[in-house]
């Protein structure tokens, strides 16, 4: 009887995703712990990626689209000279090219090239983008290549934190708009440099006003009870007030 009169949970949960832990895993886990079906997420991360995964519970599902539209910040590592069919380390190698002629100045120029305002980016085949209702990754697994509509995106800011030409690796941070694929960003820079490239590490450290420091890690989430998880939910009123300067009322 007590369960039937419990107040329906509501709020936003920030999860620090582990590699291989999916948005669906997070949603299913929260539904079970909180004993509610009204749980959603605000955009997936690639399987190998880590970091910010936003879960919305109860009435907070109404702000799902708003939160998905906010800008993001990622840290990443790019490997020059190797292309994969998924544009990241989870894919199969499709080309290997020499990097002997690549200079640090050329790498910096490639980053600067994509920081000149909005540009069109074509989502990768291995993505959740749907073509006639079918996710592209399902078609890609069948060996099919279909035309994808380009998205208007923008690099708002970036920082190159390491260039190691001896290992052909580049570490960077990128602040970008919604719908931005960091692995495609790396792939396209590889094309610009003429040596190809793919992403070997990716971590989302910020989404809108949410910082990864606020997120709960997956082991803690898996071990949490209902009351503990309820205490970790950010109130919807606060989330909206932080963005609009007023409450949810």
């Amino acid at each position: 009887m007590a369960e039937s009169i419990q107040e329906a949970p509501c709020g936003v949960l920030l999860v620090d995703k582990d590699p291989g832990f999916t948005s669906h895993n997070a949603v299913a886990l929260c539904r079970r712990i909180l004993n509610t079906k009204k749980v959603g997420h605000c955009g997936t991360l690639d399987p190998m990626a880590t970091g910010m995964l936003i879960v919305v519970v109860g009435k907070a599902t109404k702000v799902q689209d708003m939160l998905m539209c906010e800008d993001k910040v990622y840290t990443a590592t790019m490997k020059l000279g190797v292309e994969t069919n998924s544009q990241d380390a989870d894919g199969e190698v499709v080309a290997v090219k020499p990097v002997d002629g690549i200079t640090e100045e050329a790498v910096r120029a490639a980053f600067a090239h994509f920081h000149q305002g909005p540009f069109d980016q074509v989502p990768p085949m291995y993505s959740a983008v749907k073509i006639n209702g079918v996710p592209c990754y399902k078609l890609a697994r069948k060996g099919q290549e279909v035309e994808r509509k380009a998205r208007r995106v923008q690099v708002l800011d970036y920082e190159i934190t390491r260039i190691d030409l001896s290992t052909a690796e580049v570490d960077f941070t990128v602040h970008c708009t919604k719908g931005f694929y960091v692995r495609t960003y790396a792939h396209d820079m590889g094309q610009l440099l003429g040596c190809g490239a793919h992403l070997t590490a990716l971590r989302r450290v910020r989404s809108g006003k949410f910082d990864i420091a606020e997120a709960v890690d997956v082991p803690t989430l898996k071990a949490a009870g209902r009351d503990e998880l309820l205490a970790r939910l950010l109130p919807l009123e606060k989330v909206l007030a932080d963005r609009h300067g007023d409450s949810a009322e």
Side-chain angles (χ1 to χ4, degrees), residues 26 32 37 49-50 56 65 77-78 154 165 187 208 210 216 222 233 249:
R32 179 178 62 77
K37 293 182 178 179
T50 65
V56 284
D65 290 343
T77 299
M78 174 173 65
Q154 185 172 355
L165 296 178
H187 169 84
F210 298 135
V216 57
K222 289 181 175 179
L233 292 180
E249 295 299 319

Side-chain angles (χ1 to χ4, degrees), residues 14-237:
L14 307 181
V15 178
D16 187 348
K17 172 190 166 332
D18 285 343
F21 188 79
T22 68
S23 56
H24 298 293
N25 294 148
V27 167
L29 189 57
C30 290
R31 281 176 176 162
R32 179 178 62 77
I33 296 172
L34 295 173
N35 191 27
T36 183
K37 293 182 178 179
K38 203 168 185 180
V39 180
H41 65 83
C42 300
T44 60
L45 276 172
D46 295 335
M48 78 168 198
T50 65
M52 181 74 72
L53 189 63
I54 302 175
V55 176
V56 284
V57 179
K59 292 181 180 179
T61 54
K62 294 180 180 180
V63 300
Q64 192 169 6
D65 290 343
M66 179 191 76
L67 297 181
M68 286 180 69
C69 286
E70 296 185 323
D71 57 325
K72 316 287 193 300
V73 177
Y74 298 88
T75 59
T77 299
M78 174 173 65
K79 176 77 172 180
L80 302 175
V82 181
E83 297 177 30
T84 71
N85 59 357
S86 64
Q87 302 177 349
D88 66 14
D90 281 342
E92 297 178 3
V93 174
V94 295
V96 178
K97 300 177 183 178
V99 296
D100 297 348
I102 304 300
T103 64
E104 182 175 320
E105 291 72 20
V107 172
R108 294 188 182 280
F111 275 88
H113 173 81
F114 288 98
H115 191 223
Q116 300 177 18
F119 61 93
D120 290 333
Q121 185 186 71
V122 178
M125 270 302 299
Y126 281 88
S127 68
V129 173
K130 292 184 178 180
I131 303 294
N132 297 324
V134 181
C136 281
Y137 67 83
K138 290 188 176 181
L139 300 174
R141 287 171 181 169
K142 296 178 181 179
Q144 299 179 33
E145 178 88 16
V146 296
E147 185 176 352
R148 286 93 65 204
K149 184 178 180 181
R151 294 177 173 183
R152 200 69 170 167
V153 297
Q154 185 172 355
V155 173
L156 301 173
D157 196 10
Y158 73 92
E159 181 184 5
I160 302 169
T161 53
R162 179 179 69 104
I163 299 177
D164 188 343
L165 296 178
S166 67
T167 60
E169 291 180 325
V170 181
D171 293 344
F172 62 92
T173 299
V174 60
H175 180 190
C176 53
T177 54
K178 68 172 184 175
F180 188 94
Y181 280 90
V182 184
R183 52 192 162 103
T184 300
Y185 178 54
H187 169 84
D188 291 348
M189 279 195 283
Q191 296 301 300
L192 186 63
L193 288 165
C195 62
H198 72 285
L199 215 61
T200 59
L202 179 65
R203 181 168 175 78
R204 185 187 289 162
V205 296
R206 189 165 71 77
S207 181
K209 293 180 180 292
F210 298 135
D211 188 272
I212 193 61
E214 305 173 77
V216 57
D217 60 57
V218 172
T220 300
L221 176 62
K222 289 181 175 179
R226 189 175 192 273
D227 289 343
E228 184 179 352
L229 197 55
L230 284 173
R232 287 186 174 272
L233 292 180
L234 300 175
L236 178 57
E237 291 79 5

